[in-house]
């Protein structure tokens, strides 16, 4: 299977699982730009695929969470690990090798991937190094990268799209100002973290988190764990009726 067909297959399978960002990129180009490189499986230029999602993943996450006997530690990470590995393993392509690296893998693990660079090279979103943020032309800042996968398939014939800068200088300045505040606060103030994303109007009307999802990722009104417990209790009550 060539790179283009593999990316199309992965996009179909991941979209069905609530993961709507799945784009290919050149691992050779990526490795030229970063300190911590991705494996190549002895290929000249293997295919890399960056994986992420907008808020459409939330119902899939809740369905998965409700199937478990209890809430696991790091539930979002566990959901993505479960989903990504299930989809990749289900490909069952003879001879295909792959390595999955997640956005939470730190350099000390030897499995670090700079997902913003991967996403930029895949044409998902322009990575603005001044404000240290990636902006999608439709989703704005309301999306996340979760993983990158390298496959033992040459990228030959597959041409990633080129990302375009959609942030104005004024938006970059606003994002950077709140980013600097978040750093000073050691990223502990969720109100500040929310202000970073709200600094950009692109995608805010359609893709901004809301309801329980907003309360979970930006637990300003109640702890994130309480949000999930409340959701599980509501589901359990519905099932008992």
């Amino acid at each position: 299977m060539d790179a283009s067909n593999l990316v199309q297959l992965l996009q179909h399978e991941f979209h069905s699982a609530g993961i709507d960002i799945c784009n290919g990129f050149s691992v050779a180009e990526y490795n030229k730009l970063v300190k911590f490189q991705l494996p190549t499986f002895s290929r000249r230029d293997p295919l890399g695929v960056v994986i992420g999602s907008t808020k459409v993943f939330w119902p899939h996450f809740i369905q998965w969470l409700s199937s478990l006997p209890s809430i696991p530690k790091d539930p979002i990470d566990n959901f993505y690990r479960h989903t990504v590995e299930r989809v990749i393993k289900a490909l069952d392509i003879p001879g295909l090798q792959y390595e999955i690296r997640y956005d939470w893998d730190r350099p000390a693990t030897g499995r670090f991937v700079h997902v913003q660079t991967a996403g930029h090279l895949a044409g998902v979103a322009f990575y603005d190094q001044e404000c240290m943020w990636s902006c999608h032309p439709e989703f704005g800042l309301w999306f996340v990268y979760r993983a990158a996968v390298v496959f033992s398939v040459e990228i030959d014939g597959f041409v990633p799209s080129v990302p375009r800068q959609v942030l104005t200088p004024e938006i970059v300045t606003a994002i950077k100002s709140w980013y600097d505040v978040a750093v000073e606060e050691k990223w502990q103030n969720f109100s500040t973290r929310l202000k970073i994303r709200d600094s950009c109007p692109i995608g805010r009307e359609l893709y901004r988190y809301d309801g329980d999802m907003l309360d979970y990722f930006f637990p300003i009104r109640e702890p994130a764990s309480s949000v999930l417990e409340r959701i599980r209790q509501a589901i359990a009550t519905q099932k008992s009726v």
Side-chain angles (χ1 to χ4, degrees):
M1 180 176 292
D2 64 22
S4 294
N5 287 331
L6 180 54
V7 170
Q8 290 178 10
L9 176 60
L10 288 167
Q11 287 175 339
H12 177 269
E13 297 300 323
F14 276 120
H15 284 204
S16 298
I19 296 178
D20 53 344
I21 295 173
C22 177
N23 291 57
F25 65 93
S26 163
V27 171
E29 290 301 314
Y30 173 92
N31 284 344
K32 292 177 183 177
L33 300 173
V34 299
K35 178 180 179 181
F36 301 99
Q37 299 191 338
L38 294 173
T40 63
F41 298 107
S42 299
R43 301 297 196 274
R44 178 186 59 82
D45 189 5
L47 171 70
V49 174
V50 66
I51 297 166
S53 60
T54 63
K55 66 179 183 179
V56 300
F57 93 92
W58 185 251
H60 297 264
F61 166 70
I62 295 302
Q63 183 178 21
W64 170 81
L65 187 69
S66 66
S67 70
L68 303 178
S70 61
I71 299 175
K73 181 182 178 182
D74 302 321
I76 295 293
D77 292 355
N78 271 278
F79 166 77
Y80 276 98
R81 182 184 291 109
H82 168 81
T83 304
V84 170
E85 294 181 5
R86 174 178 61 80
V87 169
I88 299 296
K89 289 178 180 179
L91 293 174
D92 195 25
I93 300 174
L96 181 67
Q97 297 175 280
Y98 61 87
E99 181 171 307
I100 305 170
R101 296 193 180 185
Y102 295 99
D103 72 309
W104 57 83
D105 289 330
R106 304 275 69 85
T109 67
R111 301 179 62 84
F112 178 76
V113 58
H114 195 275
V115 287
Q116 291 94 339
T117 297
H120 182 97
L121 292 174
V124 176
F126 188 94
Y127 176 47
D128 188 295
Q129 296 188 41
E130 181 180 350
C131 67
M132 305 293 287
W133 219 268
S134 296
C135 185
H136 188 280
E138 180 181 356
F139 310 145
L141 306 187
W142 292 99
F143 74 98
V144 290
Y145 297 120
R146 291 300 183 186
V149 188
V150 179
F151 294 94
S152 59
V153 174
E154 290 283 359
I155 200 170
D156 292 346
F158 179 82
V159 181
S161 58
V162 178
R164 58 188 179 90
Q165 171 64 291
V166 293
L167 295 175
T168 64
E170 292 77 16
I171 297 175
V172 169
T173 298
I175 293 172
K176 189 175 185 303
S177 65
W178 285 116
Y179 181 94
D180 291 342
V181 172
V183 171
E184 291 177 5
E185 297 172 340
K186 298 181 179 180
W187 296 94
Q188 297 303 304
N189 188 332
F190 287 98
S191 293
T192 301
R193 292 165 68 166
L194 182 57
K195 286 174 181 175
I196 293 175
R197 293 187 186 269
D198 278 340
S199 296
C200 177
I202 301 170
R204 194 166 57 200
E205 182 176 352
L206 293 178
Y207 295 97
R208 189 181 192 269
Y209 301 167
D210 52 18
D212 290 333
M213 186 179 185
L214 182 68
D215 288 339
Y216 177 78
F217 283 102
F218 299 92
I220 299 168
R221 300 189 301 179
E222 61 180 310
S225 58
S226 298
V227 176
L228 296 187
E229 287 289 0
R230 176 164 48 75
I231 293 172
R232 282 172 58 86
Q233 290 175 5
I235 293 174
T237 299
Q238 291 175 355
K239 289 181 178 179
S240 64
V241 173

